[in-house]
Every structure is written in C-alpha cells, then in structure tokens.
Amino acid sequence: MKLLRSLALFAAAGLSLAACSQPRPKPIQGCNYAMRPIDVTPEWQARLRHPATENALLRAGAPTDDPLADALRARRRSKRGPLAATPELRALAVEPDRFLALSGGGQHGAFGAGFFYGQAQAGALPSWDIVTGVSTGSLQSTLLFLANQRVPGDRDYPAWVDGPLSGQEGDTGFVVKPGTSNVGDLVLAYSILKEADLLRVRAGGAGLGAVLRGSSATFGPLRARLLKIMSLETLRLVAEEGQKNRRLLVGVSNLDDGKAYSIDLTALVAPMASHSLSVADEERIHGCYVDALLASSSVPPGVPPVTLQNPATTEMYMDGGARFGMFLQPQLRAFEAAGSGGTAEITLMVNTSMNPGTWTSDGAPMQRWSAVTAALRAVDLLETQVYSFSAAQVEELGLRYGWLRMASLTAAPGGEQPDDHVFNGKTCAQWQAIDALAKPMQFYPWYMACTADYGRSRGVTQQWNHRVPAQP
C-alpha cells in the first residue's frame, strides 16, 4: 500500500498536475468484463443483521437473476451425497460452501503466499467455491483458486523465476522448486531479485516523473511477469473450474463513477473451456485477464489507472483498496439467494497488519512534523481503518454462519512478531533495512522473502489470528 501514500505526498507538496494532464489509457477491445457492484453501505450491514427483510423467494431458493447464486446452487447439487430419505438428511449430505477473501497489502502479499504454502505442506488446503481478491490479493487469487489442480505445462519459468526463494541466491532454508504446485508457484511470484522485476520507476520518480508523465512508475515488468505466470493453460484451467460452478472474482474501484465493482474472471475465460478459440481470441482474453489484475492493483499517481471495457461502458479503474480492503458481499447475497440448507466456511487472509503503530522518529515520539509527514501519517491511519472495517464485515459473515479462519500479518495470539522472524540468518526487520539501502519505491526483495518464510512457518502450524470455532 506504500504507493497510496504518494497521494498525500503530492497533496502536501502542492504540486499542480493539471498542467501536465494525461490522456485516458486505451483499453483492450472486446474484453466485455462481467462486473457487479460491491455494496459497502450501511444498508448492506442492515440486511446482514436482519435477513428476514430479504425477499422470501430468494431465501426459499427460487430462480434468481444473480448468476453467482445460481452457480452456488448448482455447485451444491454437484457436491451432494447420495440422496437421503428426508430433506433434513439431504441437507446434511451437502458440503459447506467455502469462501476465500484475499486482501490487499502490496509486497506483504508474500506473507499470504507463504501462509497458504505452509497450509498445503500440512495437507490443510481446501478447494474454495468462491475466491475473491483485492490488489495483491487479486494477484494471489488465480493460483489459490487452482491450489488443488495440476500445474500447467506452459509456464515459462526461466523468464520470471528468480530471487531468494528460487535457490538462485543459494540455500536460504526456504527454497521452492518451480512447477511443484500452483501454491508453490505463487510463492515464487513474490520472490524477486530486484524491484525492477515488478516496477519500472520513471525518470524523476515520485516528483518530476509523476508530474510530467502522470505516475511515478509503471507496472510494465509486472504485466510481463503476469503474462508468463497466468499462462494460457492456466486460464484454461480456471475456465474448467468455472464449468464446475466455482467462481473467481477480483475487486476494483471505478475512477469515473466512484463505485466499487467485482470482476468475474471465470466468466471472462469461460470461452476458453471449449479449446476451440482462435489464437488471436485466446491472446485477447489473456491480455484482458492480466489487465483486470493490474486494474485491481494500480494506485495513481504511483502507477497509472487501467481502462477496462465492459458491455455498457469504457471507464478507468484502480486498486479496489481505495474502497475496501477485502470483500465477500456478493457471496452473502449469493449464499442467501441460493436457498436454505447451506452452511458456510469463510477463510480470510489479511495480507498486511491492521495496526498503524505509533508515530515515532528514531524510536522516540515525534517531536517535529511537516505537512508531508503529517499527511503520510494520516494516510496510514486511513488505510488501516478501511482495512479494519472491511475485515470486520467479512468476519461478521463468518461469525453469523459459524465458521471462520482469519490470518493477518499481525502476530497471532502468543506468536512470533513478523519483524522478529529470522530468515537466512537475519530478522525481517534487518532485511528491510538492508533492502532500504537501494531506495526502492515499494518492493523490498529480501524482506519479502523473509515475510513469505514467516507466513510459511505460521501456515504449517495453523497459527490463525481468529478462529471460530476455536478448534478444527
């Protein structure tokens, strides 16, 4: 989320961007994304607490105009056991609906990647019916959606695998072999040798570069990396899982109308399931898919917004974290609209800490401040509050339905602090200080590797921050 802080930096510095306005980025034609609004208003909370006000036909399982609900209902039928003699026994024969919500958090997505890798090592990684992601969570979402599926054979590993966790920097104690699993490849996606693996900083950086070109940097290297990781065969696998009525959604914020939306990636790739598309059509969908992930992750003026085309409009989008840190609202509506008899298991990964910490300088309370430092502190508090509200909404769903697992970069009760975790002979705090010598804008390679290892250590031992019921 560090790029979001540059918004406050520009405002505090009083830079005038109007004199250097930028043209609207061009979209990929023909993407036609399936988008649905994400309701984050108090009215949604009222419906959550008073489900009796919902349409009775929806609660009874009548046909709906909600494709997510229809898919969830069909998914339930596919998981139903042998027909039982009574409706009560048939209901018991249905597996729970499993939802996964992945938050934003920038480079700290390495924590979530490591956590799920540790879970997989412990043999405790489920297949979720619906997966949602925001920002770095959107980048995680595809490979976690495919966590228990085969690894596609067309990922060009030499083109993107590097960094401390690849083994190319020596045995760090946590090395992942490419192609072993989709979750392992997710960890490698966060293993970088240098910030330039993901981000191209413009000449002039956060100051003159952003004023003249509209952003401090571009995600050109990240886009190239994603095109390799999210290979065509990867997208075909997503399409095949979509045919099983599983759904994959990423969240974006619309710069034009100011609203929040989810993009259905399973709908986007659905035509690929037939294996009959032309090469040009598959490449178009490939680009559309990666653009959706980048739109969910882009924060101006750090990196430019992304223009996306849907059947009704062509508008600019940015990081969903501007409106919400994570989301499950569409799943709630779908769960209730799919009818009675279902139970839900909700997994929430908060890829950051929701504790803003104290405002200090050299370990002591802040004595002197400026417009810039005060504005940056205000943004820290704002980001933390947005994420806390979003997490509370998701957790409330888990509490309502009786099953929740939540992990965040904040230490688990009685557990190790993330900065104190030792990786390759140094703590994560020490690695961050070493990385800082290169003056990166957002991505600290060895700190990310240490954070991934910290996540792995917690995933293996199932160290959740919040668990309902308390035991498995």
Side-chain angles (χ1 to χ4, degrees), residues 332-346:
L332 169 67
R333 177 69 177 176
F335 181 85
E336 295 188 346
S340 59
T343 58
E345 295 183 355
I346 295 173

Side-chain angles (χ1 to χ4, degrees), residues 16 36 40 122 181 220 282:
S16 175
R36 295 181 66 83
V40 292
S181 68
E282 286 200 327

Side-chain angles (χ1 to χ4, degrees), residues 67-92:
L68 199 61
D70 295 337
L72 192 58
R73 184 184 302 162
R75 177 75 174 163
R76 288 178 184 174
R77 287 197 299 266
S78 71
K79 294 192 295 184
R80 188 182 299 275
L83 291 178
T86 66
E88 292 76 17
L89 291 177
R90 284 197 295 272
L92 291 174

Side-chain angles (χ1 to χ4, degrees), residues 1 101-116 132-141 144 186 190 325-326 348-354 387 406-410 451:
M1 298 296 287
L102 303 162
S103 86
Q107 66 174 347
H108 294 116
F111 164 74
F115 190 98
F116 288 116
T132 68
V134 176
S135 193
T136 200
S138 71
L139 304 182
Q140 297 171 332
S141 62
L144 289 171
L186 175 62
Y190 283 90
M326 59 226 75
L348 170 60
M349 171 53 65
V350 181
N351 287 294
T352 188
S353 171
M354 291 184 290
Y387 273 59
M406 188 277 274
S408 78
L409 188 57
T410 305
T451 302

Side-chain angles (χ1 to χ4, degrees), residues 216-361:
S216 306
T218 71
F219 269 152
L222 176 59
R223 189 176 197 280
R225 191 179 184 92
L226 288 173
L227 286 169
K228 301 294 184 182
I229 299 170
M230 308 300 169
S231 64
L232 289 173
E233 186 60 27
T234 302
L235 269 55
R236 293 187 194 104
L237 289 174
V238 172
E240 290 173 8
E241 292 305 304
Q243 287 188 316
K244 301 173 186 175
N245 293 299
R246 298 179 66 206
R247 291 295 180 265
L248 173 59
L249 311 170
V250 296
V252 293
S253 298
N254 186 316
L255 280 169
D256 289 302
D257 68 14
K259 297 179 181 178
Y261 293 89
S262 66
I263 299 176
D264 188 338
L265 293 180
T266 33
L268 176 65
V269 301
M272 298 180 69
S274 66
H275 296 264
S276 62
L277 293 183
S278 68
V279 172
D281 283 340
E282 286 200 327
E283 290 294 347
R284 173 180 52 79
I285 293 174
H286 196 196
C288 295
Y289 194 97
V290 169
D291 270 11
L293 299 181
L294 292 175
S296 182
S297 309
S298 297
V299 183
V303 292
V306 179
T307 302
L308 304 178
Q309 182 189 71
N310 64 50
T313 62
T314 299
E315 295 176 318
M316 289 193 297
Y317 294 83
M318 63 172 285
D319 192 330
R323 291 296 309 273
F324 48 86
M326 59 226 75
F327 70 97
L328 273 183
Q329 289 85 340
Q331 287 90 312
L332 169 67
R333 177 69 177 176
F335 181 85
E336 295 188 346
S340 59
T343 58
E345 295 183 355
I346 295 173
T347 303
L348 170 60
M349 171 53 65
V350 181
N351 287 294
T352 188
S353 171
M354 291 184 290
N355 180 3
T358 56
W359 198 19
T360 61
S361 176

